[in-house]
Amino acid sequence: MLQMIDEGLIELNINGETRKVLVRPADTLLFALRERLGLTGAKPGCENGDCGACTILLDGWPVKSCLMLAVEAVGHQITTIEGLENPPIQQAFVEKFAFQCGYCTPGFIMNCQGLINNHPEADEATINEWLQSNICRCTSYQEITAAIKSVLQKNPA
Amino acid sequence: MIPFDFSYYRPDSAGEAVALFQDLDAQGKKPLYYGGGTEIISMGRHNNVDTGAVIDIKSIPECGVQEFQDDSLVIGAGVTLTQIHEANLFPLLAQAGARVADHTTQNKITLGGNMCGSIVYRESLLPLLLTDCEVIIAGPGGNRNAPVNDIFDKQVQLNRGEVILQYRIPKSLVNSPHVHVKRTKSEKISYPLLTICALNSGQQVRFAFSGLCGYPFRSKEMEQALNDTSRPADERADHAISQLPEPMADNLESSAAYRQFVLKGSLVSILNELGG
């Protein structure tokens, strides 16, 4: 049984590396990434699971890191925006002007990468359903949709 | 950040989880079973959860099952709404779960957590109520099975220390003709003004509702009214609405009058589609 009574060191697999991190059992994964490991790509927005700015990939699926305990992620593969190695979706965001202020961008990109990983032949309805998990207050939704579509069209499964 | 401390446990068996709950409870830790944890974390941030320990059920083997066994579809309480949607073994449940919160959050919310949390809508419970499925529960007295309509009656009816392991859904019903309707005030991702799940079992059309009252429910009186084929669909809908178990909710999502208007139109549409 995995148990964590008080603050202590846990090992997390982040971007292919094993990292030791000092956390409380009640600390969120978002807190551990940003405040303990300096991985500030995942952004704090609402910290309530609504905005998606803190999205990371857990075993390849997008998860809001504000809604996950750091200790809960032990034994799983975590990928943050820092762990992406210039995949096509990042270039597509540039080409399609899919951001303005950029604060929501890492979360959107991680969600898009999750969709590309899991549904490389996603249809319009699936794209819309996935993208509704993130909020862009600059309202770049059309451009973000164009970016993900351009990648899915270029990379048929 | 969650402004208070609690301990975290991830047991590997149901017996270990139940024993741990009893031990922590005796220590005054007010333990909570932890599925996806979305509600515990979001409410914990606002100090609206009071616990000194959480017991994560996701490593209990029974809680992760999603497969057909004999005449049943067995789904573990720790299976996420996304996993249910991706597998699509029970399409009505897949559809209902796909409208709870947003897609990314569905990767975290579990079937058991959606039923046992404190947010009243519990929309993934509706298809389970329609199938009269069996709930497998572990507790201090050992395992027991109970019909879902006994385990959920206005609220979850579990004894202290009990945890839901699995749902055993009759295989004969998972592909029955069905309709899922969710109406919200404006946004697609929102709490429901109303959610209706309907399933034609072959003998009758079954209905379960969320958003109409302070809890999700399935009502025999309403089903009887809706299946009275001697009357036209709009009269059946009116009669069913008069049988609501408590006054129609009147809140920020919708006035009671508008909710009733939407409900009637939805019921008539469902009856026409499912041929009840």
Side-chain angles (χ1 to χ4, degrees), chain A residues 1-5 24-26 31 47-48 62 64 66-69 71-72 74 119 130 132-133, chain B residues 1-2 4-10 12 34 41-42 45 58 86 102-105 107-108 188-189:
Chain A
M1 174 170 67
L2 174 65
Q3 64 178 41
M4 188 177 192
I5 311 294
R24 298 180 306 138
F31 176 85
E47 293 188 71
N48 197 48
K64 294 171 182 177
C66 74
L67 286 184
M68 182 164 203
L69 300 175
V71 63
E72 202 183 343
V74 170
H119 289 288
W130 280 58
Q132 282 175 351
S133 297
Chain B
M1 174 181 257
I2 297 172
F4 60 93
D5 286 318
F6 53 73
S7 302
Y8 172 90
Y9 301 86
R10 196 195 295 170
D12 298 315
Y34 182 103
I41 293 174
S42 55
R45 282 184 54 246
K58 293 193 289 294
E86 293 280 322
D102 62 80
H103 185 272
T104 302
T105 309
N107 294 340
K108 199 87 190 339
K188 184 177 178 189
I189 297 168

Side-chain angles (χ1 to χ4, degrees), chain B residues 171-239:
Chain B
K171 189 178 177 180
S172 58
L173 290 173
V174 297
N175 287 311
S176 298
H178 62 269
V179 174
H180 170 262
V181 173
K182 177 169 181 173
R183 298 283 180 259
T184 62
K185 186 175 181 181
S186 55
E187 299 292 329
K188 184 177 178 189
I189 297 168
S190 184
Y191 292 131
L193 182 157
L194 64 79
T195 296
I196 307 173
C197 286
L199 180 145
N200 191 333
S201 67
Q203 285 81 44
Q204 63 167 4
V205 183
R206 302 177 180 183
F207 292 84
F209 305 91
S210 177
L212 300 182
C213 303
Y215 46 85
F217 65 91
R218 182 178 165 200
S219 155
K220 282 182 185 168
E221 291 78 11
M222 290 180 73
E223 275 181 11
Q224 208 167 10
L226 289 164
N227 282 280
D228 179 2
T229 52
S230 67
R231 305 169 90 173
D234 66 327
E235 277 185 27
R236 284 190 259 167
D238 283 334
H239 187 208

